[in-house]
Amino acid sequence: MKAAQFDRDLTLAELLRDVAGAKLDVALSKLLGPHWQLLDADDKPVRTSPAGVQVEAIAMPLKLDIDVVGKLLASDAPRATAEAAAAWLELTLAGAARYRMAADLHFEAVNADYEALQKKHAALQESETRYRELSQQLEQRVKEQVAVIERSQRQLYQSEKLASVGSLAAGMAHEINNPIGFIRSNLATALDYVKKMQAILSAYRKGDTGHANQLWKNADMDFALEDFPGLLNESATGADRVARIVANLKKYASIDCALMTQFDVNDAVRAVTDIAATQLSPQIELIFDLQPLPMIVCDQSRVNQMLLSILQNAVLAIKDAGVIKVATRQIDGDIQVSIADNGCGIAPDILSRIFDPFFTTREVGKGMGLGLTVARDIAMSHGGRIEVVSSPGTGSTFTVCLPLAQDVPSSSQTPHIT
């Protein structure tokens, strides 16, 4: 199906196709008499009265917008009548042009939709064929795939963490780029002030005080001296902002921490939320209820990863605006971190599957379905657990329970995610 070109130039003959010919002939004959003719832009006849046109005829140009698309020849009518007929014809042609443009645009849109449907249909057919082939081979390959999954578990867990870091990288780059941008701008302005000061100082040293005073006035150095401390203070504030961002990233990654170390879980909560806050929509509100906690022996990097996975899950559950509440407390022998959202919630029929590897309700290509699996495994490797309470339409609450007294597992007993 060939696509139309709704924005192309139309000829007089094409415009007149959408005008009733018999009615046009009667109208022009009543206005102009029996002798008239319509010519296109190349002076070729497009429509002629039954009596034809005489040699001596008034020629009136026919315009569409600013383009001349043809002429009207009238042998019997006075010029005023011919001008009126030409003006009426131009209005008729403008209406026909709008109709033609709308029709071509509609045709092009329908054609594009049809081609898109054809492509989707072909893709669906190809997908159906592929899945039929896969289903026939599935039973034979199950054992092989299980073995591959077991061998690749560490690599997949690493990929999940890298994906989380990657999603944060763009936001961190934006957060760092803003202060760096105005620091560079301020330094450029400060450098310009210094160059002007050097020129004035050079004139003073040469003894040309008059020229130096004129340079001072032209450069408005009084304002520059007032502005200079502000530039430096603003740049220092921007540098402090970059330092805070780097410090938050360092806390999240636990660069300076050993594999297993004593730390305050509240510190992990603050580090993760500080990192994730830069990625949150302005319509999502973070509320904190952090109670004093005793120190606990954990792998801080992995605990950070666990909390970030749950927090990202809460963010994804909120479509537009919402609230995420993060709370910590000590109950009996456990430290509990709860992350609650008022998002879409989880249906009861899939609640028991959310920790299964590769299970996800997101679109294909949007996630591997390992975030909550990794979080659960990290909690279990520390002797803890993750509890979930959810109701469709009202939200979910994930509670991480970490025991205060635990046997520290060795790296050989549990998969470590670096």
Side-chain angles (χ1 to χ4, degrees), residues 122-180:
L124 286 173
Q125 286 185 321
E126 181 181 352
S127 178
E128 182 182 1
T129 301
R130 184 170 64 252
Y131 282 123
R132 283 180 179 175
E133 294 175 354
L134 289 174
S135 64
Q136 294 173 357
Q137 303 171 9
L138 183 60
E139 185 175 356
Q140 178 182 354
R141 298 182 57 188
V142 164
K143 293 182 179 179
E144 299 175 4
Q145 291 301 317
V146 169
V148 170
I149 290 172
E150 291 175 350
R151 290 195 302 267
S152 305
Q153 186 178 27
R154 291 192 182 187
Q155 290 85 345
L156 288 173
Y157 282 4
Q158 178 72 6
S159 297
E160 180 66 21
K161 182 173 183 179
L162 291 176
S164 299
V165 173
S167 66
L168 296 175
M172 291 297 100
H174 177 73
E175 289 295 314
I176 292 175
N177 189 54
N178 283 341
I180 290 297

Side-chain angles (χ1 to χ4, degrees), residues 364-386:
V364 176
K366 298 293 185 178
M368 293 188 298
L370 285 173
L372 292 179
T373 306
V374 172
R376 179 203 59 188
D377 289 352
I378 292 174
M380 292 178 63
S381 70
H382 288 81
R385 65 191 184 281
I386 298 178

